[in-house]
Amino acid sequence: MNEEKHILSILVDNEPGVLSRIAGLFSGRGYNIESLSVAETNDPKVSRVTMVTTGVAQIIEQIKKQLHKLVNVITVHDLTGKAYVHRELVLVKVYTRPETRGEILRIADVFRAKIVDVGNEHYTVEVTGSEDKISAILKIFQPMGIKEIVRTGPVALFRE
Amino acid sequence: MEMTGAQIVMKSLKDEGVDVIFGYPGGAVIDFYDELTRTDIKHILVRHEQGAVHAADGFARVTGDVGVCMVTSGPGATNAVTGIATAYMDSIPMVIITGQVPTSLIGNDAFQEVDIVGITRPCTKHNYLVKDVKKLAYIIKEAFHIARTGRPGPVLIDIPKDITNSRTEYEQPGEVSLRSYNPNYKPNMKQISKIASLIKNAKKPLIFSGGGIILSDCSKELTELARKTNIPVTSSLMGLGGFPGTDDLWLGMLGMHGTYCANMAISECDLMLALGVRFDDRVTGKVDAFAKNATIVHVDIDPTSIHKNVPVQVPIVGDCKITLSVLNELLDQEKPEIIKPERKEWLGQVSEWKTGTPLAYSQSDVIKPQYVVEKLYELTKGEAIITTEVGQNQMWAAQFYKFATPNQWVTSGGLGTMGFGFPAAIGAQMAFPDKIVVDVAGDGSIQMNIQEMATAVQYGLPVKIVILNNRFLGMVRQWQELFYKRNYSSTNMEHAPDFVKLAEAYGAAGFRATKPSEVEEVLKKGLATPGPVIMDFVVEREECVYPMVPAGAPITNMLLV
Ligand SMILES: Cc1ncc(C[n+]2csc(CCOP(=O)(O)OP(=O)(O)O)c2C)c(N)n1
């Protein structure tokens, strides 16, 4: 059976402990979390969790049902296979040398990324976009030397 | 009216219909205990918090109501965890109230502080840390609602000491409404008509019933269905009593220590109606070989149970009682010979298995544990509430006591908790003071919560303990005998107290039988003696439970006597 990657969009009560219930469910049952992002929605009583997980179809089904069984989980939507928009934010510190600075600016421009901080030896570049786009820009920066990165993991919404 | 947190707790418990709680006091719950004396709620003071939780659990299993227990913070709460996990695994409705250090100290490693909400997250249906006394009444109401609806389970409420003694204007909480929790009771009607047509067309149908039948209180509907359609019935350990163990259609329990007949029938059936079961590995054995020829219909209130271990063709999420009532009605619209065909061949085959390879043991001049259970069945006319410990004693009780009614069989199925049976018996006896309640025990298990003898004596609860004393941790020894070349590593329990004297030390009565000829007499004496009694049966040391399916093997691979 094939492992599949799924994006789940989960609405939960905005209460302390809810995230730990979700994380505990995954660790306790040996499910895989690839990324997780959580924040309040327009309704302050509700938070949205966007989660990327992988597993064979039967495990994905269990994950969704088990999540739904948690008392604080309101809805679980599997976006995979549906029309949705998703974005991920990455901050990347790239090493700079006098001769590469222009190049980095040009690349940033092509990817509609922004230089958000300039240091003696590096630029910090902010990129948002699909996973593909982010991998692509990181690949280009790689040879110049990446000092550090931080990624949010995707957030996603149904397309209407 | 202004009330303290402690008063709100007592009022809320009364409003939920609670009249007995099991517990153990301590600093963090001292205000509740103070308030308790001004209510008519009975409190059973156990000797260990694990006992309190198992007692509440036993109470819940025999009544179908929510069991309630109360323990203090820190060590009180951690002592309760095994009991909570036990109830969780068997889906028993329960509310556990734990005291907590004052809000201002939480997180500071205060005296007797433990994060019990964190510890019990994976073994409760839900839990709460109360942070505002104004929310206390509603939280309690919600907790009871969650504990008893859907797939039932234990719910824990952790209440910091300052919340307990702060005051607020009490308002009766409104109806519980949770947008995130709405169990689905109503089955899909189309799916039910699919079952009806499968039943009509099946040549070798079988019902596999589980604890869900007991929890949804539909033993009557199940029995009606089986008799109406002439379908034989087997069950999981938790399902015993859901269908009368005396009925001709009853095949006995299924699984690792199930009957030959039940295990063969599962492997041969062409239609399996799996009702309120969760396909535990102790039941299925090797999953790939399980019910290979069958179309499986699975009814369960909990969607996560469906397709978890076994692929099923007709999944139905819903309450077993509703599902079976609708199915019974649907079938009634058919001609009698269609709903109740002769099923000659299938029933003939089944009865051949049943009579050809029955549960058996060979008599000798040493007491056989199975014989004790058989005699117990006879002398109690099958009417006792039987609780068990865990191990061989549990399996022999399951095999040789025929349970005619639900809520008569109280055992730790999912977690397999040694030390469960005796405190659970105390809870059951509290619920039904006039019934005979017997804990069938091993000499190992009984020593895990033997301190509750004092509880039974203090409250005059006439629980009878039948120890099948093999001076071994018998079930583990059995595995060592069969699969580890008799290397009896740490299963010898020869050093044990004199259980008769121990009973007497607690102020109870004790009797012992060492020969088969004494069994009946000791049982009679023990059952007739008022108050708690220990009956110590010195049994064959190396008796094994048969049939036995080695773990992970197909369930037709049975080792027989
Ligand atoms: C709390 C706990 N610890 C350990 C076990 C593992 N275990 C299962 S059966 C068993 C032996 C039980 O011995 P005894 O109570 O004497 O009963 P018998 O099998 O001899 O009837 C043990 C140790 C368990 N189920 N529960």
Side-chain angles (χ1 to χ4, degrees):
Chain A
M1 277 200 284
N2 288 337
E3 298 244 327
E4 300 162 10
K5 189 175 205 154
H6 283 245
I7 294 199
L8 305 181
S9 179
I10 308 157
L11 290 178
V12 301
D13 293 330
N14 186 5
E15 272 176 26
V18 175
L19 189 58
S20 114
R21 278 177 213 283
I22 291 178
L25 171 69
F26 275 72
S27 61
R29 293 188 182 265
Y31 304 148
N32 182 35
I33 300 179
E34 268 184 26
S35 74
L36 182 65
S37 86
V38 201
E40 206 172 282
T41 63
N42 52 332
D43 177 351
K45 289 203 186 106
V46 177
S47 292
R48 183 186 300 276
V49 178
T50 309
M51 173 183 268
V52 179
T53 180
T54 46
V56 298
Q58 185 252 346
I59 295 291
I60 298 285
E61 185 190 331
Q62 268 297 313
I63 290 176
K64 290 190 267 187
K65 288 190 201 168
Q66 293 285 0
L67 279 169
H68 203 258
K69 188 165 146 181
L70 295 177
V71 169
N72 291 124
V73 170
I74 304 166
T75 57
V76 180
H77 284 299
D78 188 349
L79 301 180
T80 310
K82 313 242 167 66
Y84 64 93
V85 279
H86 72 292
R87 287 289 182 275
E88 181 170 3
L89 168 69
V90 180
L91 295 176
V92 47
K93 269 186 205 160
V94 198
Y95 284 109
T96 54
R97 276 167 287 124
E99 62 276 22
T100 59
R101 288 200 173 129
E103 166 98 16
I104 292 172
L105 286 174
R106 265 195 308 282
I107 296 166
D109 196 36
V110 171
F111 281 87
R112 283 191 236 155
K114 275 191 249 164
I115 312 293
V116 289
D117 186 43
V118 177
N120 285 340
E121 291 188 325
H122 66 266
Y123 285 166
T124 303
V125 186
E126 171 199 314
V127 203
T128 52
S130 68
E131 238 187 310
D132 287 354
K133 172 175 161 183
I134 284 164
S135 326
I137 193 168
L138 291 178
K139 207 164 146 197
I140 296 172
F141 283 148
Q142 199 73 49
M144 302 177 191
I146 291 177
K147 192 172 176 197
E148 267 188 307
I149 65 167
V150 57
R151 308 176 66 147
T152 59
V155 291
L157 281 180
F158 272 125
R159 210 187 266 276
E160 291 190 40
Chain B
M1 193 177 40
E2 239 200 10
M3 284 194 189
T4 65
Q7 288 168 331
I8 291 174
V9 169
M10 294 307 144
K11 163 126 186 59
S12 308
L13 292 178
K14 280 306 289 180
D15 288 349
E16 293 296 333
V18 175
D19 46 26
V20 51
I21 63 182
F22 303 86
Y24 208 99
V29 286
I30 198 164
D31 296 278
F32 296 129
Y33 277 88
D34 188 55
E35 210 46 57
L36 198 55
T37 58
R38 287 184 280 278
T39 71
D40 58 357
I41 297 175
K42 271 185 246 124
H43 179 265
I44 304 300
L45 172 66
V46 294
R47 297 301 185 268
H48 185 292
E49 286 86 353
Q50 186 186 350
V53 189
H54 290 326
D57 180 325
F59 181 91
R61 289 186 205 228
V62 296
T63 58
D65 291 343
V66 180
V68 181
C69 52
M70 177 177 285
V71 300
T72 194
S73 67
T78 50
N79 270 353
V81 172
T82 302
I84 298 172
T86 303
Y88 181 69
M89 287 292 274
D90 289 341
S91 309
I92 304 306
M94 190 189 289
V95 168
I96 306 101
I97 295 175
T98 50
Q100 183 54 283
V101 302
T103 316
S104 57
L105 295 183
I106 291 180
N108 289 337
D109 301 326
F111 176 65
Q112 295 197 328
E113 179 190 358
V114 76
D115 173 16
I116 197 64
V117 167
I119 289 173
T120 59
R121 216 166 259 147
C123 62
T124 48
K125 186 170 171 191
H126 195 54
N127 61 18
Y128 303 87
L129 170 62
V130 181
K131 290 201 175 136
D132 179 356
V133 69
K134 289 196 192 72
K135 294 198 176 137
L136 185 55
Y138 182 78
I139 286 177
I140 295 173
K141 185 154 183 172
E142 194 174 279
F144 273 86
H145 173 73
I146 291 172
R148 60 161 74 100
T149 52
R151 178 184 191 151
V155 178
L156 180 139
I157 313 172
D158 196 28
I159 311 178
K161 174 132 181 181
D162 55 315
I163 303 284
T164 310
N165 51 34
S166 62
R167 306 174 80 81
T168 186
E169 197 55 39
Y170 175 79
E171 256 178 73
Q172 188 87 22
E175 279 310 295
V176 174
S177 125
L178 284 158
R179 69 172 143 178
S180 47
Y181 175 79
N182 289 299
N184 176 31
Y185 286 83
K186 280 230 182 83
N188 177 313
M189 294 299 152
K190 265 206 208 124
Q191 293 286 81
I192 298 184
S193 45
K194 211 186 269 174
I195 314 183
S197 78
L198 284 168
I199 288 179
K200 280 182 275 168
N201 295 320
K203 292 213 166 52
K204 299 191 260 180
L206 181 69
I207 293 174
F208 167 27
S209 72
I213 295 291
I214 316 269
L215 292 167
S216 81
D217 184 26
C218 65
S219 155
K220 237 179 57 206
E221 289 79 359
L222 169 68
T223 309
E224 185 186 332
L225 173 69
R227 288 185 182 154
K228 188 190 315 235
T229 51
N230 240 343
I231 301 183
V233 183
T234 178
S235 88
S236 65
L237 182 72
M238 295 304 293
L240 293 177
F243 184 78
T246 43
D247 199 285
D248 277 348
L249 290 166
W250 173 242
L251 308 184
M253 179 174 78
L254 176 72
M256 181 175 275
H257 295 296
T259 61
Y260 179 81
C261 177
N263 286 355
M264 292 306 288
I266 279 280
S267 309
E268 287 288 312
C269 68
D270 63 356
L271 171 66
M272 184 200 299
L273 305 178
L275 310 172
V277 298
R278 59 190 183 90
F279 295 105
D280 185 90
D281 53 282
R282 283 291 186 266
V283 154
T284 59
K286 188 174 189 294
V287 173
D288 302 339
F290 181 74
K292 266 199 314 243
N293 308 315
T295 301
I296 302 183
V297 174
H298 188 187
V299 183
D300 206 292
I301 187 86
D302 179 2
T304 64
S305 286
I306 292 176
H307 294 308
K308 185 169 67 185
N309 302 332
V310 168
V312 305
Q313 286 73 43
V314 187
I316 299 184
V317 177
D319 177 50
C320 280
K321 194 181 181 89
I322 302 180
T323 309
L324 293 187
S325 321
V326 176
L327 179 61
N328 280 332
E329 272 171 40
L330 262 185
L331 288 165
D332 282 340
Q333 292 158 20
E334 306 282 345
K335 293 193 207 88
E337 66 274 17
I338 295 185
I339 11 175
K340 188 164 181 167
E342 281 193 25
R343 301 204 193 279
K344 235 191 189 146
E345 234 171 282
W346 177 230
L347 290 178
Q349 168 72 77
V350 163
S351 105
E352 205 179 294
W353 285 325
K354 201 158 142 182
T355 47
T357 316
L359 287 172
Y361 62 94
S362 46
Q363 289 281 11
S364 71
D365 48 7
V366 189
I367 301 175
K368 292 289 178 159
Q370 301 93 328
Y371 175 68
V372 178
V373 178
E374 273 185 341
K375 278 284 157 212
L376 177 68
Y377 173 73
E378 262 174 54
L379 293 172
T380 53
K381 302 192 198 70
E383 288 167 1
I385 293 176
I386 302 291
T387 73
T388 75
E389 302 298 335
V390 167
Q392 296 181 314
N393 58 85
Q394 178 184 31
M395 291 304 132
W396 285 318
Q399 292 178 331
F400 289 91
Y401 202 98
K402 298 187 204 68
F403 296 92
T405 57
N407 304 337
Q408 196 195 343
W409 167 244
V410 177
T411 199
S412 167
L415 201 65
T417 308
M418 291 171 71
F420 169 80
F422 181 33
I426 288 177
Q429 189 81 74
M430 214 33 226
F432 293 110
D434 299 329
K435 287 201 180 168
I436 301 174
V437 180
V438 182
D439 174 33
V440 175
D443 50 308
S445 300
I446 196 62
Q447 294 184 64
M448 283 210 174
N449 276 319
I450 190 70
Q451 76 286 348
E452 300 307 332
M453 269 319 276
T455 309
V457 172
Q458 176 172 352
Y459 296 96
L461 297 168
V463 171
K464 312 297 180 219
I465 302 175
V466 166
I467 302 178
L468 305 175
N469 189 347
N470 51 17
R471 289 137 290 146
F472 270 123
L473 295 174
M475 188 56 100
V476 183
R477 186 212 58 78
Q478 171 166 344
W479 285 49
Q480 290 170 335
E481 174 184 333
L482 298 174
F483 310 117
Y484 294 83
K485 303 194 181 118
R486 290 185 176 251
N487 182 17
Y488 292 168
S489 174
S490 293
T491 43
N492 195 325
M493 277 249 158
E494 254 165 344
H495 195 86
D498 176 330
F499 288 111
V500 172
K501 284 194 186 145
L502 185 69
E504 286 162 1
Y506 274 111
F511 305 101
R512 176 173 298 115
T514 53
K515 294 197 291 272
S517 59
E518 295 165 352
V519 169
E520 186 161 343
E521 187 196 328
V522 163
L523 279 170
K524 277 188 177 152
K525 251 199 314 209
L527 292 168
T529 304
V533 176
I534 291 183
M535 289 165 259
D536 182 22
F537 295 91
V538 180
V539 299
E540 175 81 60
R541 287 205 81 192
E542 298 189 47
E543 186 70 11
C544 287
V545 183
Y546 290 116
M548 175 173 196
V549 179
I555 58 170
T556 43
N557 270 20
M558 285 169 272
L559 309 172
L560 299 165
V561 185

